[in-house]
Coordinates of all heavy atoms in Angstrom, one line a residue:
M1 N 127.9 88.5 79.7 CA 128.2 89.9 79.8 C 128.0 90.6 78.5 O 128.5 90.1 77.5 CB 129.6 90.1 80.4 CG 129.9 91.6 80.6 SD 131.6 91.9 81.1 CE 131.8 90.8 82.6
A2 N 127.2 91.6 78.5 CA 127.0 92.4 77.2 C 128.3 93.0 76.7 O 129.2 93.3 77.5 CB 125.9 93.4 77.4
A3 N 128.3 93.3 75.4 CA 129.6 93.9 74.9 C 129.9 95.2 75.5 O 131.0 95.5 75.7 CB 129.4 94.0 73.4
S4 N 128.8 96.0 75.7 CA 129.1 97.4 76.3 C 129.6 97.2 77.7 O 130.5 98.0 78.1 CB 127.8 98.2 76.2 OG 126.8 97.7 77.0
S5 N 129.1 96.3 78.5 CA 129.5 96.1 79.9 C 131.0 95.6 79.9 O 131.8 96.1 80.7 CB 128.7 95.1 80.6 OG 127.4 95.6 80.7
R6 N 131.3 94.7 78.9 CA 132.6 94.2 78.9 C 133.6 95.3 78.5 O 134.7 95.4 79.1 CB 132.7 93.1 77.8 CG 134.1 92.5 77.7 CD 134.0 91.3 76.7 NE 135.4 90.8 76.4 CZ 136.1 90.0 77.2 NH1 135.5 89.6 78.4 NH2 137.3 89.6 76.9
A7 N 133.2 96.2 77.6 CA 134.1 97.3 77.2 C 134.3 98.3 78.4 O 135.4 98.8 78.6 CB 133.5 98.1 76.0
Q8 N 133.2 98.5 79.2 CA 133.3 99.4 80.3 C 134.3 98.8 81.4 O 135.1 99.5 82.0 CB 131.9 99.6 81.0 CG 131.0 100.5 80.2 CD 129.7 100.6 80.9 OE1 129.3 99.8 81.8 NE2 128.9 101.6 80.5
V9 N 134.1 97.5 81.6 CA 135.0 96.8 82.6 C 136.4 96.9 82.2 O 137.3 97.2 83.0 CB 134.5 95.3 82.8 CG1 135.5 94.5 83.6 CG2 133.2 95.3 83.5
L10 N 136.7 96.6 80.9 CA 138.1 96.6 80.4 C 138.7 98.0 80.5 O 139.8 98.2 80.8 CB 138.2 96.1 79.0 CG 138.0 94.6 78.8 CD1 137.9 94.2 77.4 CD2 139.0 93.8 79.6
T11 N 137.8 99.0 80.2 CA 138.3 100.4 80.3 C 138.6 100.8 81.7 O 139.7 101.4 82.0 CB 137.2 101.4 79.7 OG1 137.0 101.0 78.3 CG2 137.7 102.8 79.8
L12 N 137.7 100.4 82.6 CA 138.0 100.6 84.0 C 139.3 99.9 84.5 O 140.1 100.5 85.2 CB 136.8 100.2 84.9 CG 135.8 101.2 85.2 CD1 134.6 100.6 85.9 CD2 136.4 102.3 86.0
Y13 N 139.4 98.7 84.1 CA 140.6 97.9 84.5 C 141.9 98.6 84.0 O 142.8 98.7 84.8 CB 140.5 96.5 83.9 CG 141.6 95.6 84.3 CD1 141.8 95.1 85.6 CD2 142.6 95.1 83.3 CE1 142.9 94.3 85.9 CE2 143.6 94.3 83.7 CZ 143.7 93.9 85.0 OH 144.8 93.1 85.3
R14 N 141.9 99.0 82.8 CA 143.1 99.7 82.2 C 143.3 101.0 83.0 O 144.5 101.4 83.3 CB 142.9 100.0 80.8 CG 143.0 98.8 79.9 CD 143.0 99.1 78.4 NE 142.8 97.9 77.6 CZ 141.6 97.7 77.0 NH1 140.6 98.5 77.0 NH2 141.5 96.5 76.3
L15 N 142.3 101.8 83.3 CA 142.4 103.0 84.1 C 143.0 102.7 85.5 O 143.8 103.5 86.0 CB 141.1 103.7 84.2 CG 140.6 104.5 82.9 CD1 139.2 105.0 83.1 CD2 141.6 105.7 82.7
F16 N 142.5 101.7 86.1 CA 143.0 101.3 87.4 C 144.5 101.0 87.4 O 145.2 101.5 88.2 CB 142.3 100.1 88.0 CG 141.1 100.4 88.9 CD1 139.8 100.3 88.4 CD2 141.3 100.7 90.2 CE1 138.7 100.5 89.2 CE2 140.2 101.0 91.0 CZ 138.9 100.9 90.5
L17 N 144.9 100.2 86.4 CA 146.3 99.9 86.3 C 147.1 101.1 86.0 O 148.2 101.3 86.6 CB 146.5 98.8 85.2 CG 145.9 97.5 85.4 CD1 146.2 96.5 84.2 CD2 146.5 96.8 86.7
K18 N 146.7 102.0 85.1 CA 147.4 103.2 84.8 C 147.5 104.1 86.0 O 148.6 104.6 86.3 CB 146.6 103.9 83.7 CG 147.3 105.2 83.2 CD 146.4 105.8 82.0 CE 147.0 107.1 81.6 NZ 146.1 107.7 80.6
E19 N 146.4 104.3 86.7 CA 146.5 105.2 87.9 C 147.3 104.6 89.0 O 148.1 105.2 89.7 CB 145.1 105.5 88.4 CG 144.3 106.4 87.5 CD 144.9 107.8 87.4 OE1 145.4 108.3 88.3 OE2 145.0 108.2 86.2
S20 N 147.2 103.2 89.2 CA 148.0 102.6 90.3 C 149.5 102.7 90.0 O 150.3 102.7 91.0 CB 147.6 101.1 90.4 OG 146.2 101.0 90.8
K21 N 149.9 102.7 88.8 CA 151.3 102.8 88.5 C 151.9 104.2 88.8 O 153.1 104.4 88.8 CB 151.6 102.5 87.0 CG 151.4 101.0 86.7 CD 151.6 100.7 85.2 CE 151.3 99.2 85.0 NZ 151.4 98.9 83.5
K22 N 151.0 105.2 89.0 CA 151.4 106.5 89.3 C 151.8 106.8 90.8 O 152.3 107.8 91.1 CB 150.3 107.5 88.9 CG 150.1 107.6 87.4 CD 149.0 108.6 87.1 CE 148.7 108.7 85.6 NZ 147.6 109.6 85.4
F23 N 151.5 105.8 91.7 CA 151.9 106.0 93.1 C 153.4 106.2 93.2 O 154.2 105.4 92.6 CB 151.5 104.8 93.9 CG 150.1 104.8 94.4 CD1 149.1 103.9 93.9 CD2 149.7 105.6 95.4 CE1 147.8 103.9 94.4 CE2 148.4 105.7 95.9 CZ 147.5 104.8 95.4
P24 N 153.8 107.2 93.9 CA 155.2 107.5 94.0 C 155.9 106.5 94.9 O 157.1 106.2 94.7 CB 155.3 108.9 94.6 CG 154.0 109.2 95.1 CD 153.0 108.3 94.5
S25 N 155.2 105.9 95.8 CA 155.8 104.9 96.8 C 155.7 103.5 96.2 O 154.6 103.0 95.8 CB 155.1 104.9 98.1 OG 155.5 103.9 98.9
Y26 N 156.8 102.8 96.2 CA 156.9 101.4 95.6 C 155.9 100.5 96.3 O 155.2 99.8 95.7 CB 158.3 100.9 95.7 CG 158.4 99.4 95.4 CD1 158.5 99.1 94.0 CD2 158.4 98.4 96.3 CE1 158.6 97.7 93.7 CE2 158.5 97.1 96.0 CZ 158.6 96.8 94.7 OH 158.7 95.4 94.3
N27 N 155.8 100.6 97.6 CA 155.0 99.7 98.4 C 153.5 99.9 98.1 O 152.7 99.0 97.9 CB 155.2 99.8 99.9 CG 156.6 99.3 100.3 OD1 157.1 98.4 99.7 ND2 157.2 99.9 101.3
Y28 N 153.1 101.2 98.0 CA 151.7 101.5 97.7 C 151.4 101.1 96.2 O 150.3 100.6 95.9 CB 151.4 103.0 97.8 CG 151.3 103.4 99.3 CD1 152.0 104.5 99.7 CD2 150.4 102.8 100.1 CE1 151.9 104.9 101.0 CE2 150.3 103.2 101.5 CZ 151.1 104.3 101.9 OH 151.0 104.7 103.2
R29 N 152.3 101.3 95.3 CA 152.2 101.0 93.9 C 152.0 99.5 93.7 O 151.0 99.1 93.1 CB 153.4 101.5 93.1 CG 153.3 101.4 91.7 CD 154.4 102.2 90.9 NE 155.7 101.8 91.4 CZ 156.5 102.6 92.0 NH1 156.2 103.9 92.3 NH2 157.7 102.3 92.4
T30 N 152.8 98.7 94.3 CA 152.7 97.3 94.1 C 151.4 96.7 94.8 O 150.8 95.8 94.3 CB 153.9 96.5 94.6 OG1 154.2 96.9 96.0 CG2 155.1 96.8 93.8
Y31 N 151.1 97.3 96.0 CA 149.9 96.8 96.7 C 148.7 97.1 95.8 O 147.8 96.3 95.6 CB 149.8 97.5 98.0 CG 148.4 97.2 98.7 CD1 148.2 95.9 99.3 CD2 147.4 98.1 98.7 CE1 147.0 95.6 99.9 CE2 146.2 97.8 99.3 CZ 146.0 96.6 99.8 OH 144.8 96.3 100.4
A32 N 148.6 98.4 95.3 CA 147.4 98.8 94.5 C 147.3 97.9 93.2 O 146.2 97.5 92.9 CB 147.5 100.2 94.1
L33 N 148.4 97.7 92.6 CA 148.4 96.8 91.4 C 147.9 95.4 91.7 O 147.0 94.8 91.0 CB 149.7 96.8 90.7 CG 150.2 98.1 90.0 CD1 151.6 98.0 89.6 CD2 149.3 98.3 88.8
R34 N 148.4 94.9 92.8 CA 148.0 93.5 93.2 C 146.6 93.5 93.5 O 145.8 92.6 93.1 CB 148.9 93.0 94.3 CG 148.7 91.6 94.7 CD 149.6 91.1 95.8 NE 149.4 91.9 97.0 CZ 150.4 92.7 97.5 NH1 151.6 92.8 97.0 NH2 150.2 93.3 98.7
R35 N 146.1 94.4 94.3 CA 144.7 94.5 94.7 C 143.7 94.7 93.6 O 142.7 94.0 93.6 CB 144.6 95.6 95.8 CG 143.2 95.7 96.4 CD 143.0 94.5 97.3 NE 141.6 94.5 97.7 CZ 140.7 93.7 97.2 NH1 140.9 92.8 96.3 NH2 139.4 93.8 97.6
V36 N 144.1 95.5 92.6 CA 143.3 95.7 91.4 C 143.1 94.4 90.7 O 142.0 94.0 90.3 CB 143.8 96.8 90.5 CG1 143.2 96.8 89.2 CG2 143.6 98.2 91.2
R37 N 144.2 93.7 90.4 CA 144.2 92.5 89.6 C 143.4 91.4 90.4 O 142.6 90.7 89.8 CB 145.6 92.0 89.4 CG 146.4 92.8 88.4 CD 147.7 92.2 88.1 NE 148.5 93.1 87.2 CZ 149.6 93.7 87.5 NH1 150.2 93.5 88.7 NH2 150.2 94.5 86.7
D38 N 143.6 91.3 91.7 CA 142.8 90.3 92.5 C 141.3 90.6 92.4 O 140.5 89.7 92.3 CB 143.3 90.3 93.9 CG 144.7 89.7 94.0 OD1 145.2 89.1 93.0 OD2 145.3 89.8 95.1
A39 N 141.0 91.9 92.6 CA 139.5 92.2 92.6 C 138.9 91.9 91.3 O 137.7 91.4 91.3 CB 139.4 93.7 93.0
F40 N 139.5 92.3 90.2 CA 138.9 92.0 88.9 C 138.8 90.5 88.6 O 137.8 90.0 88.1 CB 139.7 92.8 87.8 CG 139.2 94.2 87.6 CD1 139.7 95.2 88.4 CD2 138.2 94.5 86.7 CE1 139.2 96.5 88.3 CE2 137.8 95.8 86.5 CZ 138.3 96.8 87.3
R41 N 139.8 89.8 89.0 CA 139.8 88.3 88.8 C 138.7 87.7 89.7 O 138.0 86.8 89.2 CB 141.1 87.7 89.2 CG 142.2 87.8 88.2 CD 143.4 87.1 88.6 NE 144.5 87.4 87.7 CZ 145.7 87.8 88.1 NH1 146.0 87.8 89.4 NH2 146.6 88.2 87.2
E42 N 138.5 88.2 90.9 CA 137.5 87.7 91.8 C 136.1 87.9 91.2 O 135.2 87.0 91.4 CB 137.6 88.4 93.1 CG 136.6 88.0 94.2 CD 136.8 88.8 95.5 OE1 138.0 89.1 95.8 OE2 135.8 89.2 96.0
N43 N 135.9 88.9 90.5 CA 134.5 89.2 90.0 C 134.3 89.0 88.5 O 133.3 89.4 88.0 CB 134.2 90.7 90.3 CG 134.1 91.0 91.8 OD1 133.4 90.3 92.5 ND2 134.9 91.9 92.3
K44 N 135.2 88.3 87.9 CA 135.1 88.1 86.5 C 134.0 87.2 86.1 O 133.6 87.2 84.9 CB 136.5 87.6 85.9 CG 136.8 86.2 86.0 CD 138.1 85.8 85.3 CE 138.3 84.4 85.4 NZ 139.6 84.1 84.7
T45 N 133.5 86.4 87.0 CA 132.3 85.5 86.6 C 131.0 86.1 86.9 O 130.0 85.5 86.6 CB 132.5 84.2 87.4 OG1 132.5 84.5 88.8 CG2 133.7 83.4 87.0
A46 N 130.9 87.3 87.4 CA 129.7 88.0 87.7 C 128.9 88.3 86.3 O 129.5 88.8 85.4 CB 129.9 89.3 88.4
E47 N 127.6 87.9 86.3 CA 126.9 88.1 85.0 C 125.6 88.8 85.3 O 125.0 89.3 84.3 CB 126.7 86.7 84.4 CG 127.9 86.1 83.8 CD 127.7 84.9 83.0 OE1 126.5 84.7 82.6 OE2 128.6 84.1 82.8
D48 N 125.1 88.8 86.5 CA 123.8 89.5 86.8 C 123.9 91.0 86.5 O 124.8 91.6 87.1 CB 123.4 89.2 88.2 CG 122.1 89.8 88.6 OD1 121.2 90.0 87.7 OD2 121.9 90.1 89.8
P49 N 123.1 91.5 85.7 CA 123.2 93.0 85.4 C 123.2 93.9 86.6 O 123.9 94.9 86.6 CB 122.0 93.3 84.5 CG 121.6 91.9 84.0 CD 122.0 90.9 85.0
K50 N 122.4 93.6 87.6 CA 122.3 94.4 88.8 C 123.6 94.3 89.6 O 124.1 95.4 90.1 CB 121.2 94.0 89.7 CG 119.8 94.3 89.1 CD 118.7 93.8 90.1 CE 117.3 94.1 89.4 NZ 116.2 93.7 90.2
V51 N 124.2 93.1 89.7 CA 125.4 93.0 90.4 C 126.5 93.7 89.6 O 127.4 94.3 90.2 CB 125.8 91.5 90.5 CG1 127.2 91.3 91.1 CG2 124.7 90.8 91.4
L52 N 126.5 93.5 88.3 CA 127.5 94.2 87.5 C 127.5 95.7 87.6 O 128.5 96.4 87.7 CB 127.3 93.9 86.0 CG 127.9 92.5 85.5 CD1 127.5 92.3 84.1 CD2 129.4 92.5 85.7
E53 N 126.3 96.3 87.6 CA 126.1 97.7 87.8 C 126.7 98.2 89.1 O 127.4 99.2 89.2 CB 124.7 98.1 87.6 CG 124.5 99.6 87.5 CD 125.2 100.2 86.3 OE1 125.3 99.6 85.2 OE2 125.7 101.3 86.5
E54 N 126.4 97.4 90.2 CA 126.9 97.7 91.5 C 128.4 97.6 91.6 O 129.1 98.5 92.1 CB 126.3 96.7 92.6 CG 126.8 96.9 94.0 CD 126.5 98.3 94.6 OE1 125.4 98.9 94.2 OE2 127.2 98.8 95.4
L55 N 129.0 96.6 91.0 CA 130.4 96.5 90.9 C 131.1 97.6 90.1 O 132.1 98.1 90.5 CB 130.8 95.1 90.3 CG 130.5 93.9 91.2 CD1 130.7 92.6 90.4 CD2 131.4 93.9 92.4
L56 N 130.5 98.0 89.0 CA 131.0 99.1 88.2 C 130.9 100.4 89.0 O 131.9 101.2 89.0 CB 130.2 99.2 86.9 CG 130.5 98.2 85.8 CD1 129.5 98.3 84.7 CD2 131.9 98.3 85.4
N57 N 129.9 100.6 89.7 CA 129.8 101.9 90.5 C 130.8 101.9 91.6 O 131.4 102.9 91.9 CB 128.4 102.0 91.1 CG 127.3 102.4 90.1 OD1 127.6 103.0 89.1 ND2 126.1 102.0 90.3
R58 N 131.0 100.7 92.3 CA 132.0 100.7 93.3 C 133.4 100.9 92.8 O 134.3 101.5 93.4 CB 132.0 99.3 94.1 CG 130.8 99.3 95.0 CD 130.7 98.1 95.9 NE 131.8 97.2 96.0 CZ 131.7 95.9 96.2 NH1 130.5 95.3 96.3 NH2 132.8 95.1 96.2
A59 N 133.6 100.3 91.5 CA 134.9 100.5 90.9 C 135.2 101.9 90.5 O 136.3 102.4 90.7 CB 135.0 99.6 89.6
R60 N 134.2 102.6 90.0 CA 134.4 104.0 89.7 C 134.7 104.9 90.9 O 135.6 105.7 90.9 CB 133.1 104.6 89.0 CG 132.9 104.1 87.6 CD 131.7 104.7 87.0 NE 131.4 104.0 85.8 CZ 130.3 103.1 85.6 NH1 129.5 102.9 86.6 NH2 130.1 102.5 84.5
D61 N 134.0 104.6 92.0 CA 134.3 105.2 93.3 C 135.8 105.0 93.8 O 136.5 105.8 94.2 CB 133.3 104.8 94.4 CG 131.9 105.3 94.2 OD1 131.8 106.3 93.3 OD2 131.0 104.8 94.8
S62 N 136.2 103.7 93.6 CA 137.5 103.3 94.0 C 138.6 104.0 93.1 O 139.7 104.4 93.6 CB 137.7 101.8 94.0 OG 136.9 101.2 94.9
L63 N 138.3 104.1 91.8 CA 139.2 104.8 90.9 C 139.4 106.3 91.3 O 140.5 106.7 91.3 CB 138.7 104.7 89.5 CG 139.5 105.4 88.4 CD1 140.9 104.7 88.4 CD2 138.9 105.3 87.1
V64 N 138.3 106.9 91.7 CA 138.4 108.3 92.2 C 139.3 108.4 93.4 O 140.1 109.3 93.6 CB 137.0 108.9 92.4 CG1 137.1 110.3 93.1 CG2 136.3 109.0 91.1
L65 N 139.1 107.4 94.3 CA 139.9 107.3 95.5 C 141.4 107.2 95.2 O 142.2 107.8 95.8 CB 139.4 106.2 96.4 CG 140.2 106.0 97.7 CD1 139.4 106.7 98.8 CD2 140.4 104.6 98.0
I66 N 141.7 106.3 94.3 CA 143.1 106.1 93.9 C 143.7 107.3 93.3 O 144.8 107.7 93.6 CB 143.2 104.9 93.0 CG1 143.0 103.6 93.7 CG2 144.6 104.8 92.3 CD1 143.1 102.3 92.9
Q67 N 142.9 108.0 92.4 CA 143.4 109.2 91.8 C 143.7 110.3 92.9 O 144.7 111.0 92.8 CB 142.4 109.7 90.8 CG 142.3 108.9 89.6 CD 141.1 109.2 88.7 OE1 140.1 109.8 89.2 NE2 141.3 108.9 87.4
R68 N 142.8 110.4 93.9 CA 143.0 111.3 95.0 C 144.3 111.0 95.8 O 145.1 111.8 96.1 CB 141.8 111.4 95.8 CG 141.9 112.4 96.9 CD 140.5 112.6 97.6 NE 140.0 111.4 98.2 CZ 138.8 110.9 97.9 NH1 138.0 111.5 97.0 NH2 138.4 109.7 98.4
Q69 N 144.5 109.7 96.1 CA 145.6 109.3 96.9 C 146.9 109.5 96.1 O 147.9 109.8 96.7 CB 145.5 107.8 97.3 CG 144.4 107.6 98.4 CD 144.7 108.4 99.6 OE1 143.9 109.2 100.0 NE2 145.8 108.1 100.2
V70 N 146.9 109.3 94.8 CA 148.1 109.5 94.0 C 148.5 111.0 94.1 O 149.6 111.3 94.3 CB 147.9 109.0 92.6 CG1 149.0 109.6 91.7 CG2 147.8 107.5 92.5
S71 N 147.5 111.8 94.0 CA 147.7 113.3 94.0 C 148.3 113.7 95.4 O 149.2 114.5 95.5 CB 146.4 114.1 93.8 OG 145.9 113.8 92.5
I72 N 147.7 113.1 96.5 CA 148.3 113.4 97.8 C 149.7 112.9 98.0 O 150.5 113.6 98.5 CB 147.3 112.8 98.9 CG1 146.0 113.6 98.9 CG2 148.0 112.9 100.3 CD1 144.9 113.0 99.7
G73 N 149.9 111.7 97.5 CA 151.2 111.1 97.6 C 152.3 111.9 96.8 O 153.5 111.9 97.3
K74 N 151.9 112.5 95.8 CA 152.9 113.3 95.0 C 153.3 114.6 95.7 O 154.3 115.3 95.3 CB 152.4 113.6 93.6 CG 152.4 112.4 92.7 CD 151.9 112.7 91.3 CE 151.9 111.5 90.5 NZ 151.5 111.8 89.1
M75 N 152.5 115.0 96.7 CA 152.8 116.2 97.5 C 154.0 116.1 98.4 O 154.6 117.1 98.9 CB 151.6 116.7 98.3 CG 150.5 117.1 97.4 SD 149.1 117.6 98.5 CE 147.8 117.8 97.4
Y76 N 154.4 114.8 98.7 CA 155.4 114.6 99.7 C 156.6 113.8 99.0 O 156.4 113.0 98.2 CB 154.9 113.8 100.8 CG 153.7 114.4 101.5 CD1 152.4 114.1 101.2 CD2 153.9 115.5 102.4 CE1 151.3 114.8 101.8 CE2 152.9 116.1 103.0 CZ 151.6 115.7 102.7 OH 150.5 116.4 103.3
E77 N 157.8 114.1 99.4 CA 159.0 113.5 98.9 C 159.0 112.1 99.4 O 158.8 111.8 100.6 CB 160.2 114.2 99.3 CG 161.5 113.7 98.7 CD 162.7 114.5 99.1 OE1 162.5 115.7 99.5 OE2 163.8 114.0 99.1
V78 N 159.3 111.1 98.6 CA 159.4 109.7 98.9 C 160.8 109.2 98.7 O 161.4 109.5 97.6 CB 158.4 108.9 98.1 CG1 158.5 107.4 98.5 CG2 157.0 109.4 98.3
Q79 N 161.4 108.6 99.7 CA 162.7 108.0 99.5 C 162.5 106.7 98.6 O 161.7 105.9 98.9 CB 163.3 107.6 100.8 CG 164.2 108.7 101.4 CD 165.0 108.1 102.6 OE1 164.5 107.3 103.3 NE2 166.2 108.6 102.8
K80 N 163.4 106.6 97.7 CA 163.3 105.4 96.8 C 163.9 104.2 97.6 O 164.8 104.3 98.4 CB 164.2 105.5 95.6 CG 163.6 106.6 94.7 CD 163.7 106.2 93.2 CE 163.1 107.3 92.4 NZ 161.9 106.9 91.7
T81 N 163.3 103.0 97.4 CA 163.8 101.8 98.1 C 164.9 101.2 97.3 O 165.2 101.6 96.1 CB 162.6 100.8 98.3 OG1 162.2 100.4 97.0 CG2 161.5 101.3 99.1
V82 N 165.5 100.2 97.8 CA 166.6 99.5 97.1 C 166.1 98.9 95.8 O 166.8 98.9 94.8 CB 167.2 98.4 98.1 CG1 168.2 97.6 97.3 CG2 167.8 99.0 99.3
I83 N 164.9 98.4 95.8 CA 164.3 97.7 94.7 C 164.1 98.7 93.5 O 164.3 98.4 92.4 CB 163.0 97.1 95.0 CG1 163.2 96.0 96.0 CG2 162.3 96.6 93.8 CD1 161.9 95.4 96.6
E84 N 163.8 100.0 93.9 CA 163.5 101.0 92.9 C 164.8 101.6 92.2 O 164.7 102.1 91.1 CB 162.7 102.1 93.5 CG 161.3 101.7 93.8 CD 160.6 102.9 94.4 OE1 160.9 103.3 95.6 OE2 159.7 103.4 93.8
H85 N 165.9 101.4 92.8 CA 167.1 102.0 92.2 C 167.5 101.1 91.0 O 167.8 100.0 91.1 CB 168.3 102.0 93.2 CG 168.1 103.0 94.3 ND1 168.1 104.3 94.1 CD2 167.8 102.8 95.6 CE1 167.9 105.0 95.2 NE2 167.7 104.1 96.2
G86 N 167.4 101.7 89.9 CA 167.6 101.0 88.6 C 169.0 100.9 88.2 O 169.3 100.5 87.0
E87 N 169.9 101.2 89.1 CA 171.3 101.2 88.7 C 171.8 99.8 88.6 O 171.6 99.0 89.5 CB 172.1 102.0 89.7 CG 171.7 103.4 89.9 CD 172.4 104.1 91.1 OE1 173.2 103.4 91.7 OE2 172.1 105.3 91.3
K88 N 172.5 99.5 87.5 CA 173.0 98.2 87.3 C 174.5 98.2 87.8 O 175.2 99.1 87.6 CB 173.0 97.7 85.9 CG 171.6 97.6 85.4 CD 171.6 97.1 83.9 CE 170.1 96.9 83.5 NZ 170.1 96.5 82.1
K89 N 174.9 97.1 88.5 CA 176.3 97.0 88.9 C 177.1 96.5 87.7 O 176.7 95.7 86.9 CB 176.4 96.0 90.0 CG 175.7 96.4 91.3 CD 175.9 95.4 92.4 CE 175.1 95.8 93.6 NZ 175.2 94.8 94.7
P90 N 178.3 97.1 87.6 CA 179.2 96.7 86.5 C 179.7 95.2 86.8 O 179.9 94.8 87.9 CB 180.4 97.6 86.6 CG 180.3 98.4 87.9 CD 178.9 98.2 88.4
V91 N 179.8 94.5 85.7 CA 180.2 93.1 85.8 C 181.7 92.9 85.9 O 182.5 93.6 85.5 CB 179.7 92.3 84.6 CG1 180.1 90.9 84.6 CG2 178.2 92.5 84.5

């Protein structure tokens, strides 16, 4: 993988993680993070320039989709789950 392609992939990966963490719903957030990590791991051995370009284009489209879904998700109130309540119980 060329240095510029590697830099593009790492930049996209960081953007995916950053955007996925913005989901207001815990379930969507954890699913998106898991799916992003799995997809990037699955394709980390790709070296053909045509395949890489196709994967990068699909990733950019998916990033726009995640950004749109985060915006839509923020329009509605979400109840926090038990896991999300960061309150610690006194010992």
Side-chain angles (χ1 to χ4, degrees):
M1 181 183 306
S4 64
S5 294
R6 182 173 172 81
Q8 287 178 343
V9 170
L10 289 174
T11 301
L12 265 175
Y13 182 68
R14 287 185 195 111
L15 283 171
F16 265 103
L17 292 179
K18 183 179 174 184
E19 288 300 318
S20 295
K21 289 177 183 178
K22 292 180 181 178
F23 274 109
S25 169
Y26 173 81
N27 291 327
Y28 287 126
R29 187 169 52 246
T30 55
Y31 173 77
L33 288 169
R34 185 176 61 244
R35 186 66 190 104
V36 166
R37 289 183 184 120
D38 290 347
F40 274 84
R41 282 186 191 130
E42 179 182 319
N43 295 309
K44 79 177 184 181
T45 58
E47 293 187 15
D48 181 26
K50 291 180 182 178
V51 172
L52 279 175
E53 192 59 37
E54 176 63 29
L55 289 170
L56 286 172
N57 287 335
R58 283 187 11 213
R60 288 183 192 106
D61 292 341
S62 296
L63 181 61
V64 170
L65 179 98
I66 286 177
Q67 291 170 333
R68 185 172 53 237
Q69 287 302 119
V70 166
S71 297
I72 291 170
K74 287 182 178 181
M75 292 179 191
Y76 303 98
E77 185 178 338
V78 178
Q79 266 189 329
K80 295 216 180 252
T81 62
V82 174
I83 295 172
E84 291 179 291
H85 291 293
E87 301 171 2
K88 295 182 180 180
K89 294 181 181 179
V91 178

